[in-house]
Amino acid sequence: MLKRTLEDYKALLRNIPSGTVTLFVVSVIVMNLLANKELVSLPWLALDCGITVSWVSFLCMDMICKRFGANASIKVSVLAEAINLAVCLLFWLVSLTPGMWGAYYSTDSIQVNDALNATFGGTWYVVFGSTVSMLCSSVVNSLLNEGIGRRLKKNTFGTFALRSYVSTMVGQFVDNFVFATIVSHTFFGWTWAQVVMCSLTGALVELACEVFLSPVGFRVVRSWERDGVGENYLRLHAAEATR
């Protein structure tokens, strides 16, 4: 089973354009790092700066799902999270070293150095919450996207937009809700009303960001289809399905 999974990963990564995978992985890493800074803090809306790139990962998932299917999208999400955890581990180890950050020499403040170590070192429950929420949302987003796509016959931007917007809205809500439940409710004392309201409003903001560039995502996927990108992987899975 493990050998087959690894072989499938190899085949998938050989067929998905490397730029898309790279953008996906980088967006996940940057999103988790920027989540350390607050963007909006209201009783009914709480957003961190990670929202500026979180929609990128969902757009990449929708593109991969459209061309390669839900399983491929989920597998790339798992890979992105694994790399992100490795980066978080590296940041944590670096934060333990005795050296000073560059900002220390311009401020001459040990508090600034300690703050940077704390920011890059991360907090275990935040890393855990973001990992679980992203994995849950990627499964929901990918399966819902593919499920809607199977019921749509036309290969137009309208159908791409419908499956992407619905799955992204639901997936982003799940992402925000799971994270807020694990982190904000458990450790910061948020009420359930705050958890639900902030999850919903945050999902709407993130959806609006994706809507803006979804036409670009659709054109990219259409170019993959015209150029036969991923044909080997698709034929491999089509052959397995007929066995």
Side-chain angles (χ1 to χ4, degrees), residues 91-101 110-123:
F91 283 167
W92 176 70
L93 292 173
V94 169
S95 71
L96 299 179
T97 61
M100 298 296 183
W101 291 93
I110 193 65
Q111 287 80 9
V112 171
N113 194 73
D114 291 341
L116 285 171
N117 279 328
T119 298
F120 281 90
T123 307

Side-chain angles (χ1 to χ4, degrees), residues 53-230:
V53 294
S54 63
W55 59 273
V56 175
S57 60
F58 277 81
L59 180 58
C60 289
M61 275 193 282
D62 292 337
M63 292 166 58
I64 294 171
C65 192
K66 171 67 169 63
R67 178 58 177 163
F68 297 92
N71 286 336
S73 178
I74 294 171
K75 286 176 180 176
V76 176
S77 299
V78 172
L79 175 65
E81 281 302 322
I83 295 175
N84 178 62
L85 288 176
V87 172
C88 289
L89 176 61
L90 175 63
F91 283 167
W92 176 70
L93 292 173
V94 169
S95 71
L96 299 179
T97 61
M100 298 296 183
W101 291 93
Y104 168 80
Y105 296 101
S106 59
T107 62
D108 201 30
S109 172
I110 193 65
Q111 287 80 9
V112 171
N113 194 73
D114 291 341
L116 285 171
N117 279 328
T119 298
F120 281 90
T123 307
W124 72 267
Y125 54 81
V126 174
V127 174
F128 174 74
S130 64
T131 301
V132 173
S133 62
M134 184 63 187
L135 291 177
C136 291
S137 63
S138 66
V139 172
V140 171
N141 179 82
S142 300
L143 293 178
L144 184 57
N145 187 301
E146 185 177 70
I148 296 174
R150 287 176 177 172
R151 290 165 173 76
L152 302 175
K153 303 301 181 182
K154 295 182 179 179
N155 189 14
T156 63
F157 173 69
T159 59
F160 177 80
L162 178 61
R163 62 190 288 178
S164 297
Y165 297 167
V166 172
S167 62
T168 294
M169 177 64 194
V170 176
Q172 290 278 20
F173 177 82
V174 170
D175 187 18
N176 296 334
F177 183 81
V178 173
F179 180 82
T181 299
I182 294 175
V183 178
S184 303
H185 175 70
T186 305
F187 293 94
F188 300 151
W190 279 22
T191 65
W192 284 114
Q194 287 177 305
V195 169
V196 173
M197 196 61 187
C198 289
S199 298
L200 179 59
T201 52
L204 289 172
V205 173
E206 290 167 314
L207 175 61
C209 294
E210 181 173 341
V211 168
F212 182 69
L213 280 180
S214 58
V216 177
F218 176 70
R219 292 191 183 96
V220 172
V221 175
R222 289 291 286 155
S223 70
W224 291 351
E225 294 171 346
R226 288 193 302 269
D227 298 339
V229 174

